Amino acid sequence: MPKTVGIDLGTTNSVIAVMEGGEPVVIPNAEGSRTTPSVVAFTKTGERLVGTLARRQAAVNPENTVYSIKRFMGRKFAEVESERKIVPYQVKPGKDDRVVVHVPATDKDYTPEEISAMILQKLKTDAEAYLGEKVTDAVITVPRTSTTRSGRRPRTPARSRASTCSASSTSPRRHRSLTGSTRRPTRRSWSSTSVVNL
């Protein structure tokens, strides 16, 4: 039977967990870590790296390494002046003045939702390798970063990778049970939980 996993899609790191024997168990990624850096990078040849591998090469490839992308989700270019100043990659206005990131290595623009979808794909792939079976559904929590609007878009990254959202909840208890977190999230740190088909 296909597994349902819980994903905490964080600004700095992301975590994926599964219920086993009635208890949440955090799934280690392919590198053996319980957390995956929310970082996506593109090499000079256009190869895409996600997670630990992406973070390791950030110092020598800053303009092609995207991190803290959640800070830009759902926001317009005019709203992120201070955030643009603290990241080395190019942030520019896209359709309807929404934020996009330009990656020189691929000469393409990516929305924050598209970058987040790449992180989700990495988590899903690692979970399937660990579990030995397909992962078809996930409960995804997206922490509130700087604006309410950015915290209200947890479904969009899943839609970016052809997933369908089927339900939504904002329960901290549900957040803890499905992501394996033992710390109660505050209203400042969590915004919503969505159940999606992967």
Side-chain angles (χ1 to χ4, degrees):
M1 181 178 177
K3 291 282 189 179
T4 298
V5 296
I7 297 175
D8 188 350
L9 189 60
T11 303
T12 304
N13 293 291
S14 295
V15 178
I16 186 167
V18 66
M19 297 296 289
E20 293 185 350
E23 295 293 330
V25 176
V26 174
I27 299 173
N29 59 26
E31 295 74 40
S33 176
R34 289 163 56 89
T35 61
T36 296
S38 300
V39 183
V40 175
F42 297 85
T43 67
K44 304 296 184 182
T45 60
E47 180 187 4
R48 188 173 77 194
L49 305 174
V50 182
T52 303
L53 296 179
R55 187 173 64 182
R56 283 176 182 169
Q57 55 80 72
V60 296
N61 188 28
E63 70 277 7
N64 294 304
T65 303
V66 183
Y67 58 88
S68 295
I69 195 64
K70 307 306 295 183
R71 300 182 188 279
F72 300 107
M73 185 174 287
R75 303 181 69 186
K76 293 191 174 183
F77 184 74
E79 300 174 335
V80 296
E81 182 177 359
S82 60
E83 288 85 351
R84 297 199 316 261
K85 293 178 180 178
I86 62 175
V87 296
Y89 51 85
Q90 183 182 358
V91 178
K92 56 188 282 191
K95 183 179 179 181
D96 299 325
D97 199 42
R98 296 291 182 184
V99 170
V100 295
V101 174
H102 181 74
V103 176
T106 60
D107 195 26
K108 292 181 180 179
D109 296 337
Y110 299 90
T111 66
E113 291 78 16
E114 288 174 321
I115 296 295
S116 297
M118 296 173 191
I119 299 169
L120 286 179
Q121 181 62 56
K122 157 74 171 169
L123 295 171
K124 178 179 183 288
T125 299
D126 288 351
E128 289 178 338
Y130 174 84
L131 297 169
E133 58 186 293
K134 287 288 185 181
V135 172
T136 58
D137 299 281
V139 178
I140 303 174
T141 68
V142 178
R144 177 176 296 156
T145 52
S146 55
T147 67
T148 301
R149 186 187 297 123
S150 67
R152 285 179 178 170
R153 298 172 67 87
R155 304 178 183 185
T156 314
R159 285 175 177 158
S160 294
R161 56 172 317 279
S163 301
T164 305
C165 182
S166 57
S168 178
S169 170
T170 55
S171 166
R173 180 176 297 175
R174 192 177 195 190
H175 165 95
R176 295 197 303 273
S177 67
L178 288 162
T179 62
S181 173
T182 58
R183 178 176 61 85
R184 178 182 176 83
T186 64
R187 287 193 176 274
R188 185 177 182 84
S189 65
W190 64 271
S191 60
S192 58
T193 307
S194 291
V195 180
V196 300
N197 304 122
L198 296 175

